[in-house]
Each structure stands twice: as structure tokens, then as C-alpha cells.
Amino acid sequence: MRFSLATVIVSLPFFVAAAPQPSKQKTGTSIPISKRSGLTNPDNSVNLEALKSHITSTKAKIIRGLDNFEKNTGSSRPSAVNGTQKRGSGGDALTDANSELWYGTISVGTPANTYTVDFDTGSRRVSDVYCIDLFLPGPDCGSTCSGHTVYDPSSSSTSQDLGKTFSLQYGDGSTVTGEQYTDIVFISGLTATGQTLGAASQYSSGFEISGFPADGLMGMAFQSISDYNASPVFQTLVSEGQTDQSVFAFKLAASGSELFIGGTDTALYTGGFSYADVTQQGFWQVNMDNVEGNGQTVLSNVDCIIDTGTTLVIGLPSDVATLYQAIGGTDASGTVGQGFYTFPCNSVPSVSFTFGGTSFLISSDTLNLGPVYSGSSDCVGGIVGQDIGNSFWIVGDVFLANVYTAFDVGNSRVGFATLA
């Protein structure tokens, strides 16, 4: 598929009827994005260690984001809407690069050099790091940066040292550290000037080229969970008048995936959007109307985070147990891992999520992660129960691969539409 520069540029009830839809004119900038996946083995059975690592990473990034929210805003953690512990009404409920990441191309500096970055709305699951900011390997980065394109601030005439360091904590206790700078960032013809970014002096082994093909990461959530407490790249583009609309959108699929900046790519979806208002600016946290299993409503009024940086859907353990009980799933804590469930490979259940009154089906291809082992008749479900100390679900690519998703910064809402 060919994308023009005149067109796009990834980790939650929606209000549809009277909500205005994005312009049907394609006026933004598009970036084709690629996927790196390692949750399955060559024989298509589930890679159990990768799954467990993904869960650990996701927990770590959410906790870091909550810590940053408290630090940056002075407010309590956004554990639920209006500070209440809302749960699915029916229930008692990063990655490392071997899981899944979505990456594309940006340019930085003067003269500009090109880098690949992982785009993440929840922010990042790589190697248990959580970051909403932009960072790249710096000139002093060690051997783990080998093979990545290095950002050298001294070679850019528009770079300015902020005199601040950054340190990103990993789930395994290691860190990514470096220096903060401002510089020009280019995304398919759009320009963010004075953009804060990090030049890493240390990368964890999880960022080695063999496991993490992108050079760095570009978070796409809200400033309140920024490690730098600085404007994310997209918000900078909006504030500097670079976009026609304060919207970016994703298609996440096996082929033709795309990140669109400044609106939506009308060729990739049909009909209008079903919207959910953001209930707490930090993560893309919204409310899900219902979770349906085999045509019946199982859970209602579920707080969740929409996160392109998480492969799975992770729910409260009690909620997820209720869902699988309703659809005939089997607790696989002893075979796969705590919080995982299986179902017969030849009888994948039907699960849908409803936002803004519209129900969106999770395809059997995305709900089914694969056989427990080669030749097994039991397959692992992509909805997992985990307790991360908060009352929200994390809605990742198991669901998002089935819809076109628009993140509306200006109106603080998320919209879903049917893929074309």
C-alpha cells in the first residue's frame, strides 16, 4: 500500500449519537507502521515465557505511569472515575520486544537524521519500561545500542541541553538513563520544534537490536504521566498548528497498519465513530459499556485504558473469571500461568466489547493466541486476569486489531469505527 505525505502518522460508555464525527476529508499525515511479534513459537503454539514477560512488563509500565501522575499533578492516582472503585458489575479481575510492538519512522535534528520508533498510547511495554516520552539511543550508549541509529545532540544545530537527566526503571531492576534535550522532530512533513526528548546513555538488554528493532520510543498519552513532565510530540504538533485536527488514529493489523496524524484515514474504516470520553487525562482511560460473551452481557460499566502498547487485554481477575465461566473457558493457572484461561481450539468463544452503544466483535484470530503446546487441542485466550492494584482493565491489541481507533486529544475522547 502506498501512502502520500498528504495523508497519517498505538495502550479504554462511548457517547455516539450526537457526537460529531472527524472530517471525512483526508487532511493529515500518514506513517505506515510495522509489527514485531514473538508471542508464538515457530509452530504457532504459545510462547509461554513471552506471555509471562508481557504481563510483567505491562504491570510495570502502568505502575510507573501512576507514579508519574501523582508526581506531576499532585493528585491521587487515577484508579477509577471520580476516585471510586468501579468494577465490572458481573464479577468478583512491556513488553519486551519479543512480544509485539508497532514502529515507524521519524526524523530528528538539523540536519535531520531518520530513526524508527515504537508508537505507544499507553506508553511502553518494552523490557518492563514505562515511558510516555520520546527517547533515542545517545552517543554514549553502550553495547546494547549496537545496530541502532544513534542520536548525537552535538551534531544537531537545533539541539539544546536542558541540563536534566532522566532515569526509567525496569521491572527487572535495571534502568535506562540519559540526558534531556530539546530539538526539532519531523513526522512525515510535520514539524515539532523545541520538542523535549532523551538521549540514552544506557539501554537495557531488552532494547538490543535482536529483540527490539526500533531505535527508540515515542509515547502518545498525556503529559501528566510524562517522566519529563513535558509535552508529548503529538501535543506539540497541535500547539504549533501543524495539524488540521487534534486527532491521531491507528489501524493495527497483520498488513496495511498505519498511524495517522492530524485526523483519520477514511479509506481504512466505514461508517461513523462510537466515542468514549476520557475520564482521567493521563492514560487514555475511558468507560466500556459492556463485555459480551456468546451473545450475552457478562459485565457492565467497566473502567479501562486503551493501550496500543499492550498486546493482550488484561482485566481484573474476578471480572475475567466471570467472563470465562460464562463462555466455557478453563482456568489455566497451572499450565500457562496465573490469570490465563484456555478453550477448545476448535470452538473459540464469541466475545465483544461495547463502547458508546456499539458492540465490536473480537475476532477468533485475535482472541485465540494459539495452542498451549504443539499439538494441543486447548488454546490460550487473549483476555487475561491480573491484579495491578487498580480497578481498570487494559485494552490492548487483541481488541484494537479489530477496529479503527481515533484518539481525539482536543475533545479528550477515544473513538472506534468498523474497519473497511
Side-chain angles (χ1 to χ4, degrees), residues 115 134-155 166 176-181 197-203 207 215-217 228:
Y115 307 89
L134 169 63
F135 67 83
L136 297 166
D140 299 323
C141 196
S143 60
T144 54
C145 289
S146 178
H148 291 302
T149 301
V150 169
Y151 167 66
D152 185 355
S154 66
S155 298
F166 69 93
V176 168
T177 59
E179 189 82 7
Q180 294 183 41
Y181 293 84
L197 72 156
S201 57
Q202 177 187 345
Y203 260 9
F207 284 99
D215 298 315
L217 177 143
Y228 309 156

Side-chain angles (χ1 to χ4, degrees), residues 10 117-124 131-135 217-222 231-235 248 284:
V10 181
V117 293
D118 174 33
F119 299 108
D120 190 347
T121 60
S123 225
R124 188 53 206 144
C131 178
I132 182 51
D133 305 292
L134 169 63
F135 67 83
L217 177 143
M218 194 181 100
M220 303 188 74
F222 294 94
S231 175
V233 174
F234 181 73
Q235 281 84 332
F248 62 89
W284 287 94

Side-chain angles (χ1 to χ4, degrees), residues 85-408:
Q85 292 294 313
K86 292 177 63 178
R87 304 177 70 89
S89 61
D92 267 328
L94 228 234
T95 188
D96 66 18
N98 288 326
S99 287
E100 202 172 83
L101 58 89
W102 300 93
Y103 59 98
T105 300
I106 65 172
S107 297
V108 180
T110 306
N113 289 318
T114 300
Y115 307 89
T116 55
V117 293
D118 174 33
F119 299 108
D120 190 347
T121 60
S123 225
R124 188 53 206 144
R125 60 184 186 239
V126 172
S127 302
D128 307 334
V129 69
Y130 180 85
C131 178
I132 182 51
D133 305 292
L134 169 63
F135 67 83
L136 297 166
D140 299 323
C141 196
S143 60
T144 54
C145 289
S146 178
H148 291 302
T149 301
V150 169
Y151 167 66
D152 185 355
S154 66
S155 298
S156 172
S157 63
T158 48
S159 172
Q160 293 187 10
D161 192 337
L162 292 177
K164 299 178 181 179
T165 60
F166 69 93
S167 180
L168 307 177
Q169 186 70 41
Y170 293 77
D172 62 2
S174 60
T175 58
V176 168
T177 59
E179 189 82 7
Q180 294 183 41
Y181 293 84
T182 60
D183 210 335
I184 298 177
V185 176
F186 304 92
I187 302 177
S188 289
L190 304 180
T191 304
T193 60
Q195 178 61 48
T196 301
L197 72 156
S201 57
Q202 177 187 345
Y203 260 9
S204 155
S205 59
F207 284 99
E208 292 179 357
I209 192 70
S210 59
F212 183 69
D215 298 315
L217 177 143
M218 194 181 100
M220 303 188 74
F222 294 94
Q223 181 173 338
S224 57
I225 55 173
S226 163
D227 278 278
Y228 309 156
N229 196 16
S231 175
V233 174
F234 181 73
Q235 281 84 332
T236 301
L237 292 173
V238 171
S239 67
E240 294 181 352
Q242 290 288 300
T243 61
D244 293 314
Q245 298 179 52
S246 56
V247 176
F248 62 89
F250 279 94
K251 176 187 176 182
L252 305 178
S255 62
S257 298
E258 179 185 275
L259 171 59
F260 193 97
I261 290 186
T264 60
D265 187 339
T266 57
L268 299 183
Y269 66 93
T270 61
F273 283 84
S274 295
Y275 285 106
D277 288 345
V278 171
T279 55
Q280 181 79 65
Q281 284 196 359
F283 304 104
W284 287 94
Q285 183 175 346
V286 301
N287 188 267
M288 176 164 48
D289 296 347
N290 300 308
V291 176
E292 298 95 30
N294 291 336
Q296 301 297 317
T297 297
V298 179
L299 302 164
S300 299
N301 198 28
V302 178
D303 287 309
C304 54
I305 293 169
I306 303 299
D307 183 7
T308 60
T310 295
T311 300
L312 306 174
V313 171
I314 301 174
L316 307 181
S318 58
D319 286 355
V320 173
T322 298
L323 172 62
Y324 279 105
Q325 183 178 23
I327 61 178
T330 301
D331 189 332
S333 298
T335 54
V336 180
Q338 189 66 39
F340 286 91
Y341 291 79
T342 60
F343 41 71
C345 297
N346 63 0
S347 183
V348 179
S350 170
V351 177
S352 300
F353 291 169
T354 297
F355 294 97
T358 302
S359 180
F360 297 94
L361 178 69
I362 300 177
S363 71
S364 59
D365 288 341
T366 54
L367 182 62
N368 179 6
L369 298 181
V372 177
Y373 54 84
S374 182
S376 174
S377 61
D378 292 325
C379 284
V380 180
I383 301 175
V384 182
Q386 293 288 317
D387 184 1
I388 59 173
N390 290 277
S391 63
F392 47 67
W393 284 38
I394 304 168
V395 177
D397 300 345
V398 162
F399 172 76
L400 297 177
N402 300 277
V403 293
Y404 189 79
T405 308
F407 296 87
D408 188 339

